[in-house]
Each structure stands twice: as C-alpha cells, then as structure tokens.
C-alpha cells in the first residue's frame, strides 16, 4: 500500500514563504509523475503545479514566478516552494501521486492518490 504524508503548511504574512513537502511510503516503487493541488472553501480542487518523470514542470498562471515544484527520487519526495505569498493563496494544499514505477519488474501504474492536506493561511 502506498501512502502520502504532507508537511510544511502553516500561517504566514503576505510576502512570506513556505515550503511544502510530500513523502511517499511503501515497498518496491519509484515516484514518476506528481502534482500539488489546492482547494478554496466551497470551490473545486485545482492544480497548482505538476512535474513529470523527466523534471518538466507546469504551473497555473497565478503560481508562475512565485512557486517552484521539485522532486527527490531517492527519498520519494516532492516539494512546493512558495514565495511572495498573497492572501489569495490561502487554501488547503494537497499533494498527488499520479503514477509510479513498480519493481522488481518495471511497470507504470496509475494511482492518483492524495495526501491528507495541509492548510496554508496568508494574513494581510
């Protein structure tokens, strides 16, 4: 069973920074494609950033230039560095593990599983 654990959320003033981290646990797999999402109260969950197995990143328009997604395959973690935070960034943030590579026989597997969510609150 694959499980995700999130950390790094909290309270911050405008212009501040936070670094969110997601770690996957379980046997015999390598992380492949991952994402970070956020959800505002009463709104649908939306993708903030994603990263492919080759390291190619994509961001929603509001995150471009401020957020950076990165990965560490050896530790099976992926982070979201958030700079220049604004009150509009206040939301519950979720990491998502889209696909993995399983071992010992290499094979791609779709998971689409979520972390438990971590609150980011930006005060004005």
């Amino acid at each position: 069973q694959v499980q995700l654990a999130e950390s790094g959320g909290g309270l911050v003033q405008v212009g501040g920074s936070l670094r969110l981290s997601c770690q996957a646990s379980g046997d015999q797999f390598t992380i492949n494609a991952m994402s970070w999402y956020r959800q505002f109260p009463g709104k649908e969950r939306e993708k903030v950033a994603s990263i492919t197995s080759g390291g190619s990143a994509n961001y929603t328009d509001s995150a471009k230039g401020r957020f950076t997604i990165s990965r560490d395959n050896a530790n099976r973690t992926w982070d979201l560095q958030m700079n220049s935070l604004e009150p509009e960034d206040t939301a519950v943030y979720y990491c998502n593990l889209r696909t993995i590579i399983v071992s010992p026989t290499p094979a791609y597997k779709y998971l689409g599983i979520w972390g438990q969510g971590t609150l980011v609150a930006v005060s004005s």
Side-chain angles (χ1 to χ4, degrees):
Q1 184 178 3
V2 179
Q3 292 184 311
L4 308 183
E6 296 186 30
S7 62
L11 306 177
V12 66
Q13 291 187 305
V14 294
S17 298
L18 286 173
R19 188 177 185 90
L20 307 182
S21 183
C22 189
Q23 183 166 32
S25 61
D27 292 336
Q28 306 284 58
F29 76 91
T30 301
I31 56 175
N32 189 43
M34 299 80 66
S35 300
W36 283 93
Y37 288 70
R38 66 186 176 189
Q39 188 167 22
F40 305 107
K43 304 295 184 180
E44 295 182 349
R45 194 170 298 179
E46 64 179 40
K47 186 183 294 185
V48 177
S50 62
I51 188 166
T52 69
S53 61
S56 179
N58 188 263
Y59 303 93
T60 189
D61 286 343
S62 64
K64 292 178 180 177
R66 300 189 299 126
F67 294 3
T68 303
I69 187 171
S70 60
R71 62 190 293 157
D72 185 337
N73 290 344
N75 292 308
R76 296 193 289 193
T77 62
W78 58 105
D79 294 354
L80 184 68
Q81 177 67 45
M82 303 185 294
N83 299 326
S84 301
L85 285 164
E86 301 290 341
E88 291 76 16
D89 296 315
T90 297
V92 177
Y93 285 71
Y94 299 86
C95 59
N96 177 270
L97 181 55
R98 181 178 176 86
T99 55
I100 63 173
I101 301 173
V102 298
S103 299
T105 302
Y108 292 92
K109 182 179 178 66
Y110 173 80
L111 295 181
I113 62 174
W114 301 94
Q116 79 278 6
T118 184
L119 175 64
V120 172
V122 185
S123 62
S124 60

